[in-house]
Amino acid sequence: LESSLLMQPWASVCFGESTFLAKACFRDTGYILLISDLSSVWYESADAEAVGQRSKELNKRLTVPVSSFLHRLRNLMCPLLAGQPDAATSFSCHHAAGGLSLHVKSELSGLPFYWDFHCCPAPVEMVSRHLVRPLIQMSLALQYQVQELTSLLLQKDAEIEDYRESGAALSRDRLRTEPFQEKTFQQNFMAEVRSAAN
């Protein structure tokens, strides 16, 4: 389950007035949920036996196979993570004893359906594998992309200057651009990042 979870993208979700990042993976054998507010990371991994036990406690009137509960949970969570939550389903969360509890209220087979995700703090290795490493890898990739684009812009400026020195002129003056100043660009960019962070 966790290896499959690595392939899932993070999604921004709102529970009440709080915004979280979340990802989840559901199978017939169980599920795993990872959720973060960028200060803490919580997770829950539950196998079919645990799902069956909790479903009996929360949904005494429902007598359906565990696979049906897991299928229903997947159908509730996946649209939420895709930004298309079901209007007939409500989600709420609260912090409790160092963990995070996510309460779901919906229906199944015409009867009320309730579910509680009991998330505990994620181990450091899990946080690193799912959040820290991917962020660092993406940051490095973007840095490389910026370096490549900067190099391309400087080459284009050199090419344009060569045309000008050869006597070429623009047919439309509005297309004229100033030479790219890498240092100025970096300073302005960092100033905008700091402003956005505040």
Side-chain angles (χ1 to χ4, degrees):
L1 272 173
E2 192 182 343
S3 60
S4 297
L5 187 67
L6 275 171
M7 306 303 294
Q8 301 298 317
W10 285 96
S12 179
V13 294
C14 290
F15 302 124
E17 297 180 356
S18 302
T19 301
F20 296 89
L21 290 176
K23 55 168 32 184
C25 183
F26 293 87
R27 295 284 186 271
D28 290 339
T29 54
Y31 67 79
I32 184 168
L33 169 70
L34 198 57
I35 186 168
S36 173
D37 61 0
L38 294 184
S39 292
S40 301
V41 183
W42 304 272
Y43 87 107
E44 183 185 36
S45 180
D47 59 19
E49 184 179 351
V51 170
Q53 182 60 38
R54 193 177 305 170
S55 65
K56 291 176 183 176
E57 296 169 2
L58 295 173
N59 302 282
K60 293 181 172 63
R61 295 171 62 191
L62 284 171
T63 54
V64 295
V66 173
S67 58
S68 295
F69 277 105
L70 285 163
H71 185 72
R72 181 59 179 155
L73 285 172
R74 179 171 59 240
N75 288 345
L76 293 174
M77 291 298 293
C78 289
L80 176 72
L81 296 174
Q84 301 170 333
D86 181 358
T89 302
S90 66
F91 294 87
S92 60
C93 72
H94 66 273
H95 298 267
L100 185 77
S101 180
L102 175 60
H103 182 67
V104 185
K105 182 180 179 181
S106 185
E107 65 172 44
L108 177 62
S109 302
L111 293 172
F113 173 78
Y114 303 101
W115 192 259
D116 290 332
F117 292 97
H118 300 305
C119 302
C120 61
V124 172
E125 174 57 28
M126 178 180 272
V127 175
S128 176
R129 191 162 52 247
H130 289 272
L131 198 60
V132 178
R133 288 182 207 161
L135 284 173
I136 290 175
Q137 289 169 351
M138 180 57 68
S139 177
L140 291 172
L142 289 173
Q143 286 179 35
Y144 176 75
Q145 188 178 53
V146 167
Q147 290 170 357
E148 289 292 300
L149 290 172
T150 297
S151 176
L152 184 61
L153 280 170
L154 293 173
Q155 290 176 38
K156 289 292 184 184
D157 280 348
E159 182 180 343
I160 291 169
E161 185 60 28
D162 185 64
Y163 286 141
R164 285 177 182 162
E165 290 176 354
S166 300
L170 284 170
S171 59
R172 287 169 288 183
D173 198 58
R174 63 183 176 82
L175 296 177
R176 186 180 305 279
T177 58
E178 293 298 321
F180 178 68
Q181 301 292 333
E182 182 179 0
K183 186 175 181 180
T184 302
F185 172 80
Q186 292 287 0
Q187 290 172 342
N188 291 341
F189 178 78
M190 292 308 298
E192 289 178 10
V193 169
R194 282 192 289 269
S195 177
N198 294 330

